[in-house]
Amino acid sequence: MSALLQPATAREFLSGNEAVARGAFDAGVELAAAYPGTPSTEIVETLATFPGVYTEWSTNEKVALEVALGASMTGRRAITAMKHVGLNVASDSLMTLGQVGAKAGLVIAVSDDVGFSSSQNEQDSRFWGRFVHLPVLEPSDADEAYAMTRDAFALSERFEVPVLLRLTTRVSHVKRMAQTSTQEAPEAGRHGYVKDAARWITTPNHVARRLELRAERDGALALEVESSGWNRLEARGDRRIGFIVSGPAYHVVREAHPDAPILKLGLSHPLPLGLAKRFAASVDRVLVVEEVDPIVENELRAAGLSVHGKDVLPRGGEITVAVLERAVARLAESGLPSSVAPRAASVFPRPPTLCAGCPYTGVYFWLGQLKDTIICGDIGCYTLGCGSPWDAMDTCISMGASLGVAHGMAKAQEGDANRKSVLAVIGDSTFLHTGMPALANITYQGSNVTVLLLDNRSTAMTGGQNNPGNGHRFDGTPAPRIDFARLVEALGVKPERIRMADPYELPTFLKVLREEMKVREPSVIITTRPCVFTPEFERRAPLKVVDEDCNGCARCLEVGCPAITVTRRERQTRSEGKVVELAWTTIEQAACTGCDLCAKACSRGAIVPA
């Protein structure tokens, strides 16, 4: 397998995600399915702009992988894309794919959020390659992302196996010049579906043979990696320390130690042990630089090589020049010089918050004031309810977990005289993703949980993608729209316990919330305001604060709208000796959507239309 399928004929300025999309298109991909998740979202969004490629937002990553497999089985090249936690959702089907393989090229692009800048955890998806017996390609930048994606389809078809293309946040989002090819894509439909029950039906009598074939494939891939152009030795003069590196950390090593020898791993699983042994014999000391877990390091040690890695490098987060230099400094007893002085990055902190006018602010205005209530959160914009000024969240585990965790808490407190009310907060897209089975379990078990289903008609956290709940497909064409009230009734919620509420109507929303929290059975409150960035949102005239009517109570700040800012603070001591903090505010009218939440929160009537 050549590192470059065709000579490059053009140079384009692309992010890693855009490069993957362009590489897939130039490789003749015909179907792309995904569930949006930062940092992978733009892969399929970019593919949707190319002609002749069917693209969709599937309801979750497991479904997306199965859609892509179906296309591969019928002879069409396919790609699915997801973030690292999404691969967990897809893992049930993924494990079987390691046995049955693929027919037409099938690429699984997974972007690990190294440093968990927008995720609930940090995860190293290279483990899945080992676990499932899949080859793993690791681009270090957009240029390699393009070329590796094209090669991934060829590799997939050559070995009849899905290929895991492992990206990280830095590769996905950072742009650079990439070499692209004008080679025409293969014609559509060059393969056809062939019935093969022994392969595609995974009954016990078929699996044994598939495992034998998988072992043969593993052996063939082990030979392939030793000669792959993606794994290369870069010999340089200073042999006191050599680096074995993969992914974007390669550029960090090159910057910090330009004279050091490097073994760069691009096709990193199976690991090219023969190449690694030759490299280790050529240098005095080996430092394995990988994000985030010591996968390559442990495999090399198991093969009998003496290497350094996570004994000096951190076990989490991105590896920067400063991080690498601190690690090399810890090896200084050998006299190794540090070629670059450690540098500390200074970035102005930007705490995350909800958008101005977001309907979730009305929800959290009240949730933050509830007492003796446990609030189980979920993955989406509403996760921000854990922060100031609301502090209205007690748990956030994974997509759809709010309902399952809330059910467990409610059942655990049954019969407890001091029981606390339990709320589960979940968005429309997340509910469709993995929330429905948990609600069915709540109703089936008769759990005393109040569910807040926040329908803002958008997969908002990842950029406002469409989903089955808003009546539009990927390309904006009309589609059947899920009726959430009927859906939750079908899942077992009694009709009288299904309430619709406008989160902009603060007194009414609080009344509904109090009523449903008093019942002793499953209850669902569906909010009915769209995201401020959807076409359905109707912007109103902005508001202003009348200074002479404002008494500094700062009640408006409890709404949490970023369009409201403090102009003056003051501490006063009341006659009874109580010290109170006062704050006078103003409203940035360019950001204000006129939602009126702050005006409803103001008891003085000091907030009026501008």
Side-chain angles (χ1 to χ4, degrees):
M1 180 183 61
S2 169
L4 292 176
L5 290 176
Q6 292 291 330
T9 58
R11 289 176 62 79
E12 300 182 45
F13 191 57
L14 302 171
S15 69
N17 284 346
E18 292 168 337
V20 170
R22 177 61 190 274
F25 176 72
D26 288 348
V29 75
E30 298 176 55
L31 180 143
Y35 181 84
T38 305
S40 69
T41 306
E42 297 80 12
I43 294 174
V44 174
E45 283 185 335
T46 304
L47 269 169
T49 66
F50 294 130
V53 182
Y54 171 78
T55 54
E56 73 170 40
W57 291 128
S58 305
T59 48
N60 64 30
E61 295 84 359
K62 180 176 181 289
V63 173
L65 177 59
E66 292 156 357
V67 171
L69 172 63
S72 172
M73 291 169 65
T74 56
R76 307 309 196 260
R77 288 186 172 183
I79 187 171
T80 182
M82 59 199 72
K83 66 186 298 180
H84 61 290
V85 289
L87 198 54
N88 301 337
V89 178
S91 62
D92 191 14
S93 295
L94 180 70
M95 293 301 299
T96 302
L97 262 63
Q99 294 172 190
V100 303
K103 187 178 179 183
L106 176 55
V107 175
I108 303 167
V110 55
S111 188
D112 287 359
D113 188 9
V114 176
F116 44 92
S117 58
S118 59
S119 306
Q120 65 269 35
N121 62 41
E122 187 177 62
Q123 182 176 309
D124 197 326
S125 294
R126 293 178 300 164
F127 279 113
W128 287 113
R130 278 78 176 165
F131 197 14
V132 188
H133 297 257
L134 302 181
V136 178
L137 283 163
E138 286 191 77
S140 64
D141 54 32
D143 188 38
E144 287 189 349
Y146 171 82
M148 281 189 181
T149 301
R150 296 195 61 169
D151 246 6
F153 283 100
L155 185 68
S156 174
E157 290 181 356
R158 181 179 173 190
F159 290 92
E160 294 193 351
V161 63
V163 173
L164 197 66
L165 182 70
R166 191 252 186 167
L167 313 167
T168 67
T169 304
R170 191 162 294 277
V171 175
S172 288
H173 287 170
V174 172
K175 289 198 171 191
R176 67 157 288 173
M177 297 303 298
Q179 294 180 330
T180 60
S181 171
T182 57
Q183 177 199 19
E184 292 185 7
E187 292 184 5
R190 60 198 178 286
H191 305 293
Y193 174 72
V194 178
K195 187 177 179 67
D196 188 353
R199 179 176 186 180
W200 302 116
I201 300 177
T202 55
T203 51
N205 59 318
H206 293 157
V207 169
R209 176 54 181 158
R210 295 308 306 176
L211 293 180
E212 292 176 6
L213 293 173
R214 188 180 71 181
E216 294 175 7
R217 185 184 70 208
D218 289 346
L221 283 167
L223 295 175
E224 176 75 14
V225 297
E226 295 292 344
S227 59
S228 170
W230 292 120
N231 298 326
R232 66 175 185 265
L233 292 171
E234 297 181 2
R236 294 184 178 88
D238 189 350
R239 299 188 177 276
R240 289 174 294 175
I241 184 170
F243 295 90
I244 297 179
V245 63
S246 63
Y250 166 74
H251 296 289
V252 173
V253 173
R254 286 292 308 273
E255 179 179 348
H257 296 274
D259 298 324
I262 296 174
L263 170 54
K264 183 185 183 301
L265 301 177
L267 181 51
S268 62
H269 182 258
L271 191 64
L273 288 173
L275 201 60
K277 289 177 180 178
R278 293 200 302 274
F279 177 75
S282 69
V283 296
D284 297 337
R285 183 173 292 182
V286 176
L287 179 59
V288 181
V289 183
E290 54 186 328
E291 296 172 337
V292 288
D293 289 313
I295 299 177
V296 172
E297 175 189 344
N298 288 343
E299 290 185 12
L300 292 176
R301 286 180 173 169
L305 296 181
S306 176
V307 298
H308 293 278
K310 297 303 180 181
D311 54 334
V312 292
L313 285 163
R315 297 185 69 95
E318 284 194 315
I319 295 176
T320 63
V321 170
V323 169
L324 179 63
E325 282 305 304
R326 284 193 290 270
V328 172
R330 295 182 63 180
L331 302 175
E333 67 273 9
S334 64
L336 285 171
S338 180
S339 60
V340 180
R343 326 190 267 264
S346 178
V347 179
F348 184 80
R350 180 189 178 275
T353 189
L354 296 172
C355 301
C358 175
Y360 295 161
T361 55
V363 173
Y364 282 118
F365 176 79
W366 290 122
L367 294 189
Q369 300 176 53
L370 294 179
K371 306 299 181 185
D372 295 321
T373 301
I374 302 172
I375 303 172
C376 299
D378 219 297
I379 306 300
C381 294
Y382 43 89
T383 309
L384 298 172
C386 68
S388 180
W390 314 286
D391 298 319
M393 191 173 294
D394 296 293
T395 71
C396 180
I397 305 302
S398 65
M399 293 282 284
S402 61
L403 280 73
V405 172
H407 168 67
M409 289 183 167
K411 283 296 182 184
Q413 295 183 95
E414 285 185 351
D416 188 344
N418 298 317
R419 61 173 293 277
K420 294 186 176 182
S421 298
V422 182
L423 287 173
V425 182
I426 193 167
D428 50 343
S429 181
T430 306
F431 181 72
L432 295 171
H433 180 277
T434 38
M436 292 186 290
L439 180 59
N441 190 57
I442 286 174
T443 59
Y444 176 66
Q445 308 295 348
S447 182
N448 183 21
V449 173
T450 302
V451 176
L452 285 172
L453 204 173
L454 309 181
D455 179 15
N456 68 357
R457 303 173 207 172
S458 173
T459 309
M461 192 66 167
T462 51
Q465 291 79 19
N466 292 327
N467 64 60
N470 71 358
H472 300 284
R473 297 189 180 91
F474 194 116
D475 58 1
T477 55
R481 179 181 172 187
I482 295 291
D483 185 326
F484 284 105
R486 293 177 63 188
L487 177 58
V488 299
E489 182 180 355
L491 291 171
V493 182
K494 294 179 181 178
E496 61 270 24
R497 296 277 67 84
I498 303 170
R499 307 287 297 275
M500 311 299 290
D502 186 345
Y504 282 175
E505 299 297 330
L506 290 182
T508 304
F509 178 80
L510 178 61
K511 179 176 180 292
V512 172
L513 184 63
R514 283 175 169 169
E515 289 173 353
E516 294 309 308
M517 288 177 64
K518 289 178 181 178
V519 302
R520 290 288 187 265
E521 59 184 332
S523 174
V524 176
I525 302 171
I526 304 173
T527 64
T528 56
R529 282 284 178 175
C531 169
V532 297
F533 292 108
T534 60
E536 292 86 353
F537 180 77
E538 297 179 3
R539 194 180 187 94
R540 304 174 184 173
L543 305 174
K544 69 175 182 178
V545 178
V546 180
D547 293 337
E548 53 268 29
D549 294 335
C550 178
N551 66 349
C553 72
R555 180 76 165 164
C556 58
L557 292 177
E558 295 178 12
V559 173
C561 179
I564 305 173
T565 57
V566 176
T567 58
R568 178 168 62 94
R569 293 187 184 274
E570 186 176 307
R571 179 177 293 179
Q572 291 184 0
T573 303
R574 299 290 168 83
S575 56
E576 65 274 18
K578 181 180 179 180
V579 178
V580 295
E581 300 282 348
L582 302 177
W584 283 260
T585 60
T586 187
I587 297 175
E588 178 56 55
Q589 293 179 18
C592 178
T593 65
C595 70
D596 211 33
L597 285 171
C598 57
K600 291 185 174 72
C602 179
S603 60
R604 302 270 300 180
I607 299 178
V608 300

